[in-house]
Each structure stands twice: as C-alpha cells, then as structure tokens.
Amino acid sequence: MEAGAGTGALPHYVDPRTGRTYPLDVLRWRGDDGAPLFVSPLPGITRQDIDTGERSLWRYRAAFPVDVPEPVSLGEGRTPLLERTWGGAGTVLFKPEWYGPSGSFKDRGSSVMISVLAGRGVKEVIEDSSGNGGSSVSAYCAAAGIRARILAPEGTSPAKVLQSRAYGAEVRLVPGDRDATAAEALRQSAHTAYAGHNWHPFFLQGVKTLAYEIWEDLGFRAPDSVVTVAGAGSTVLGLDLGFRELLAAGQIAAPPRLLVAQPANCAPVHAAFHGLPAPGAGWAPTVAEGTAIKAPVRLPEVVAAVRRSGGDMAAIPEDGITSAVRRLAAIGFYAEPTSATAAAAIDVFASRGAIRPGGTTVVLLTGSGLKASADMTRIFAPEGRP
C-alpha cells in the first residue's frame, strides 16, 4: 500500500502536521519527508479488556494497534502510587518509575517498541540517548537477542554508560551535546534499524500505558492532574494518548491536566508554550541531563497536548532542582535530578492554583538517583567538601 492510500478503519501511521498516512505493516519510524509519526487515534479499552493475570504493562495489550504474539517483557509497569505530603500542595501521589527493570520509565516504551521490531525480524538497532533511554533499549535488546548500538553524549553519567555496556550493547560516546548525538544517530540510521525513543511511534504506545495504569490504580478514574518532566516530551505525549483513548472509550469524564516542568537552563517546550523567545543553541547546561534537549522533534505536538489538557508548564532553576532532590530523599525517594524537576514544580503549580488541596495529583518520578551517581555525590557532599 502506498503512503497516503486509504486505510479504512485499520490503524496506521499518521503525520499530524500534514495528515499523510502510512500502513503499519511497513517498518518505519518517520515520514518520507522526515516528519515524526504517530499511530492513528485508537478507540481505547474498558476495564473488561485488561488481562488481570498479566503483571506487567502487557495487561493493557488490547490497547495496542497491532497484535504482539511474543512480547519482549522484563516485568515493566505496575509501579506503585505512594501518598506523601508536599508543601502547599498537600497530599500528592508519587509514582516512582524507577521500579522498571532498567530503572526508569523508558522501559514502558522500550518493551513495546523492541517487541514490535523483534516480531518483524530486526536483528540490530541503533539508539541515541543521554542515558536512561540507551540503557533501557539495551536491556530489551538483550532480552530479545538483538544487537544494540547506543550513541550517547560524551558527558553522559558513567553509571548509565556502564549499564548499557553491561547488557552487551556497543556504546559510542559522541563529542558535543544531546543534539549532536541525535544528529549522528540519524546519519547512522541509513544503514541500521533505528530504535530512537524520541522518534519511534511504538515507543509512545508503551508510554501511554502510564495513563491506563494510573486509571486502574485510582479505581478506574482519572486524576485531576499529572505532574511530569519533559525533555523530548514522550511522557507528555504518552499520557495524552492514553487518557484520550480512555475518554473515547467512555471510561473517564475528562483527561487530567498535564502539568509539565523543564529545567530553566534548557526549556524549549516551556518557551514555546508560553510564547517566549528561545535562545536555541544558547541554552545552558543543566543538572537534569535527561531533559537537555534543545530542539525536541515533537515540540509542537507536546505543546498541543499540554494545552489540550488545560495544563501548564514551569521552568525550574538549578537550585530548585537540587533542593527537590534533597526534599525527595528526606521522604524516602532517591530520585535523579531529572526526576526531581517534576517534584520541584509541584510548589510552582500549587502557587498558580493548578494544583488544589483535596484534588488528586499524580507526580511521575522518572528515574533513580542510582543512575546519576556523580551528580548525586555533588548534591549530597558535606558542606565544604567536593
């Protein structure tokens, strides 16, 4: 079937910027013109469609656009919701995604993406990552028997590089920043199947299970708001997809507000959302390395998702991020700085009235402090010591 040909009611790839479509039975990760793709809107599922005997995100497999007879699973998903009090916001529900097999939320997307690629006979992939995405893809490639080549910025946390190599992946450190790494991966993708988590439509299909899982954990209802951090914005897009499907299926009355944080030193999505000028390549380094993406490939779609939900965005200064790391640790959460950016934003959103005491607020903690040992050492070093 040719791109743009009629696909009827069958799911297909779609370019939201042009409306152009492509069939799902052809392996691709972007449009012919280089645009990022999504899977076309899906009808969602009901509680009766959940495979309650499956203790992973694959309990929601009925919500996926293709059948995956042999999932590549390491038990991802089913992370807890833990109630804590946080400043003026009152009681919130933290969802620590580092319970995932490789230690971050990326395992949701990797499981579905690698399952689809493995099912189509892919034997080798390339991925670009500032850390968590690379280690996650490496883990699932190891489980699937797929060779993985991970490109990472030269300043990536050693613990994340070590983890990818431990899974057997070939890791190449690229001079320059996160965007230089992405550009190199796109060049190399001409010869190797690309499993870029910021590009691949099936990665988002895995991330959307966050919405289904929150819905189920809250007794089959949506929260009032979800607070998360964004770099490329896959959590935002996954939540948007999942909650819109639940709305389409008549399972919720309205999606939650998406309240999204970025580090002020690198906040292109925040700038676009608020109509602010962005410095482009002039963004400063940030301790939240997982979000240091100056030109997100899905930027307009991320902004649209936040606006569609009635949500908001906040830019968090570096000292706010490190303070949140310490505050989280003081209540038992050892969160890496990227994760803590979301927690730091709780106070900002509460002060704006976007989070109200008595409402149901879920805060996503995307990755463990064990992934950023050097930064955590600096943050918790005794005063006067390195």
Side-chain angles (χ1 to χ4, degrees):
M1 185 182 297
E2 296 297 323
T7 54
L10 294 176
H12 50 274
Y13 296 117
V14 61
D15 175 353
R17 301 173 189 179
T18 65
R20 192 176 188 190
T21 64
Y22 304 86
L24 284 186
D25 58 2
V26 176
L27 197 62
R28 63 164 59 241
W29 53 271
R30 64 178 176 179
D32 289 344
D33 61 355
L37 301 175
F38 288 80
V39 173
S40 56
L42 300 172
I45 62 174
T46 70
R47 67 181 73 183
Q48 288 74 31
D49 296 314
I50 298 172
D51 181 359
T52 56
E54 175 59 62
R55 297 192 62 183
S56 77
L57 65 77
W58 290 92
R59 67 197 284 112
Y60 310 115
R61 66 193 302 161
F64 297 145
V66 296
D67 182 43
V68 182
E70 298 182 16
V72 181
S73 177
L74 294 168
E76 56 293 318
R78 306 304 295 147
T79 59
L81 280 177
L82 302 174
E83 185 177 294
R84 296 290 188 276
T85 299
W86 189 272
T91 300
V92 299
L93 297 168
F94 286 101
K95 192 167 182 61
E97 283 289 288
W98 57 67
Y99 281 70
S102 82
S104 83
F105 86 95
K106 296 288 200 327
D107 292 336
R108 294 180 182 272
S110 295
S111 178
V112 176
M113 176 178 67
I114 296 301
S115 292
V116 171
L117 294 175
R120 298 188 180 183
V122 171
K123 301 299 182 185
E124 182 178 6
V125 303
I126 188 170
E127 150 78 327
D128 59 294
S129 169
S130 60
N132 282 331
S135 54
S136 179
V137 168
S138 298
Y140 285 87
C141 282
I146 293 174
R147 294 186 299 277
R149 186 189 318 144
I150 308 299
L151 304 183
E154 58 186 353
T156 298
S157 294
K160 296 175 182 177
V161 173
L162 173 62
Q163 187 179 11
S164 294
R165 286 176 171 154
Y167 291 129
E170 174 192 357
V171 180
R172 297 184 185 178
L173 298 180
V174 178
D177 59 13
R178 180 67 181 82
D179 296 282
T181 301
E184 178 61 23
L186 293 181
R187 284 191 289 271
Q188 295 192 24
S189 68
H191 310 289
T192 306
Y194 186 45
H197 65 278
N198 291 333
W199 280 89
H200 209 288
F202 277 100
F203 188 89
L204 294 178
Q205 289 295 305
V207 179
K208 80 178 183 185
T209 63
L210 270 166
Y212 281 101
E213 193 168 297
I214 292 169
W215 164 69
E216 183 180 4
D217 286 344
L218 291 177
F220 301 103
R221 64 182 179 88
D224 296 299
S225 57
V226 180
V227 184
T228 187
V229 65
S234 60
T235 52
V236 176
L237 295 172
L239 290 165
D240 178 59
L241 289 175
F243 282 116
R244 278 199 289 151
E245 289 178 15
L246 286 166
L247 183 65
Q251 299 304 296
I252 58 174
R257 293 183 298 275
L258 301 180
L259 305 176
V260 184
Q262 290 201 289
N265 281 9
C266 189
V269 185
H270 172 270
F273 180 84
H274 289 289
L276 303 173
W283 291 111
T286 174
V287 69
E289 66 175 1
T291 59
I293 299 175
K294 299 171 185 174
V297 298
R298 300 181 188 270
L299 188 149
E301 290 77 25
V302 178
V303 170
V306 179
R307 287 182 174 152
R308 184 163 45 238
S309 75
D312 196 4
M313 294 202 66
I316 309 301
E318 294 296 288
D319 59 354
I321 296 171
T322 55
S323 175
V325 171
R326 297 188 186 98
R327 288 175 67 185
L328 285 167
I331 58 173
F333 295 125
Y334 194 61
E336 69 173 329
T338 297
S339 268
T341 308
I346 299 172
D347 297 318
V348 177
F349 292 127
S351 70
R352 296 177 184 174
I355 295 175
R356 304 176 184 91
T360 302
T361 298
V362 174
V363 183
L364 300 181
L365 299 177
T366 51
S368 167
L370 297 174
K371 300 286 206 122
S373 55
D375 287 327
M376 299 299 277
T377 298
R378 286 191 291 270
I379 291 170
F380 288 102
E383 188 174 349
R385 293 179 58 187

